[in-house]
Amino acid sequence: MNRMYHAILGMAALLLAQGVQAQNVPKKMYLKVAGGYFFSVSPGQFPDVGPYPPRDIRNTVNPATGAVTEVFERVLTGSYGEGLRGGLTVGYNINKHIAIEGTFNYFHSQENLMTRNVSVFEGLNKDAARIESDGHVNAIDFAPSLVLSPGYEKFNPYVRFGFVVPLWGKLIIETEAMRMSRPAGVPLPAGTMVKTDISRTEEIKPNPTFGFQGAMGFNYNVSRRIDIFAEAEYRNVPVRSKEKEVTKYSETNNVVNVQSGDVLQQLPGRGIDDLSHAERYTTYVTVLDENSNTPTGSTGAQTNYKNDNAPANDLKSYINIGGLGLNAGVRIKF
């Protein structure tokens, strides 16, 4: 990453030296439309999904005793900087060598597996419990830049560097979960259990932040008003969580035959309006202490908090939506 910055600065000095003898041209506005794909350059460990760490875990469960044996575990790593990006840029040529640009970008990251925990009944080859969460980022940012070039007419290389100011964004986590259980106080026929299925979507909003970006590329003149361009761009945009909201929630409970999976009886479930305020909303903090609104236990699939009528508290998490990408598009001169 430091090499990328040094290369950009070195190319900037070279371009200015090459173009120092050229004459200034009248100031001109231009519009750029671009699309590209970014790749992760600094993958890290994903944040927790509630009480579940970023792990892929496989267990076996003894159906008679309930004893759990772990048979597989791996850490889940990756980055939210990989994905598709589209941008619209307004530029202004100060002279033949220097321009300023302002770009609005929309970014949609690839989906990442954030946690998976599967438990299987020994000898039955049936799931006893399963939870899997996938997350992706949608974001809009504004990127002001300074552009330096030698000012060649046909093929004009350039360097661009500046800031990234996120304007809007969210991390969307979709979770599918299943659990087989024998709840206390619920009479069940022999060979049956209660199967609970949960589908949940939560959105994490970030704190205000800013990052850095730099690019090396070229403009190729096609006509008096049209150029095409391509560039390699590096971005570093760290983001920390601010608050979370569960936006979709569905919970069903059925008495099922463990062997066949047939549903014998439907039990009451829950929807999003049945969640407590603490289950639905979370405020992220840097420290958890005795005054934090944390879980105290559970009743079935419901999580109980110290204060169910206030937002829950959880530790802040950090992700990076930067990366190394390739952009290409059209520049229209006015």
Side-chain angles (χ1 to χ4, degrees), residues 161-321:
F161 48 89
F163 298 99
V164 180
V165 183
L167 301 178
W168 170 87
K170 54 189 175 182
L171 168 59
I172 301 170
I173 303 175
E174 297 177 321
T175 299
E176 298 293 329
M178 184 279 290
R179 184 181 64 180
M180 303 286 281
S181 63
R182 292 189 177 93
V186 179
L188 296 173
T192 67
M193 299 183 77
V194 174
K195 181 185 179 186
T196 301
D197 289 287
I198 293 175
S199 178
R200 181 181 68 198
T201 300
E202 49 198 326
E203 298 181 358
I204 299 177
K205 298 177 182 178
N207 274 291
T209 185
F210 73 96
F212 302 92
Q213 46 96 1
M216 294 185 293
F218 66 87
N219 295 314
Y220 184 80
N221 180 251
V222 177
S223 67
R224 187 169 65 91
R225 291 193 175 276
I226 302 295
D227 292 347
I228 59 174
F229 70 92
E231 63 183 21
E233 179 183 7
Y234 172 73
R235 288 172 158 241
N236 189 330
V237 189
V239 178
R240 58 194 174 100
S241 56
K242 179 181 180 182
E243 56 191 18
K244 179 177 72 175
E245 178 184 357
V246 177
T247 57
K248 295 180 182 178
Y249 185 88
S250 173
E251 174 193 323
T252 61
N253 296 285
N254 294 301
V255 178
V256 300
N257 183 291
V258 176
Q259 289 280 359
S260 66
D262 293 338
V263 176
L264 306 180
Q265 180 184 355
Q266 292 185 346
L267 300 177
R270 293 196 302 163
I272 190 167
D273 293 332
D274 299 310
L275 299 180
S276 70
H277 193 84
E279 287 181 293
R280 189 166 179 179
Y281 300 97
T282 299
T283 300
Y284 290 97
V285 295
T286 54
V287 175
L288 291 176
D289 56 27
E290 66 275 9
N291 297 315
S292 302
N293 193 19
T294 51
T296 58
S298 62
T299 305
Q302 178 179 341
T303 302
N304 304 316
Y305 290 82
K306 293 177 182 177
N307 184 354
D308 289 330
N309 298 315
N313 293 132
D314 202 352
L315 291 174
K316 289 182 183 293
S317 58
Y318 297 81
I319 63 173
N320 193 307
I321 58 173

Side-chain angles (χ1 to χ4, degrees), residues 43-237:
Q45 185 169 298
F46 290 125
D48 294 351
V49 182
Y52 296 96
R55 299 283 195 275
D56 186 1
I57 301 174
R58 310 294 170 87
N59 300 315
T60 59
V61 180
N62 186 309
T65 66
V68 177
T69 302
E70 184 176 299
V71 296
F72 173 86
E73 180 177 6
R74 70 182 175 99
V75 176
L76 295 174
T77 60
S79 169
Y80 288 101
E82 183 170 351
L84 295 168
R85 188 184 307 275
L88 180 66
T89 300
V90 176
Y92 181 77
N93 288 312
I94 297 175
N95 56 43
K96 201 169 186 178
H97 315 297
I98 301 174
I100 55 175
E101 293 183 352
T103 303
F104 291 93
N105 294 291
Y106 174 77
F107 175 68
H108 177 82
S109 80
Q110 71 166 8
E111 278 203 349
N112 293 284
L113 176 64
M114 298 183 66
T115 190
R116 179 164 55 198
N117 194 320
V118 180
S119 298
V120 179
F121 284 123
E122 294 176 358
L124 298 178
N125 198 28
K126 302 282 186 181
D127 286 350
R130 169 185 290 269
I131 181 168
E132 182 171 325
S133 297
D134 298 283
H136 69 274
V137 167
N138 293 334
I140 296 174
D141 66 60
F142 175 69
S145 303
L146 180 66
V147 184
L148 305 177
S149 77
Y152 299 150
E153 294 295 331
K154 192 68 174 177
F155 180 87
N156 190 32
Y158 65 84
V159 294
R160 174 174 58 79
F161 48 89
F163 298 99
V164 180
V165 183
L167 301 178
W168 170 87
K170 54 189 175 182
L171 168 59
I172 301 170
I173 303 175
E174 297 177 321
T175 299
E176 298 293 329
M178 184 279 290
R179 184 181 64 180
M180 303 286 281
S181 63
R182 292 189 177 93
V186 179
L188 296 173
T192 67
M193 299 183 77
V194 174
K195 181 185 179 186
T196 301
D197 289 287
I198 293 175
S199 178
R200 181 181 68 198
T201 300
E202 49 198 326
E203 298 181 358
I204 299 177
K205 298 177 182 178
N207 274 291
T209 185
F210 73 96
F212 302 92
Q213 46 96 1
M216 294 185 293
F218 66 87
N219 295 314
Y220 184 80
N221 180 251
V222 177
S223 67
R224 187 169 65 91
R225 291 193 175 276
I226 302 295
D227 292 347
I228 59 174
F229 70 92
E231 63 183 21
E233 179 183 7
Y234 172 73
R235 288 172 158 241
N236 189 330
V237 189

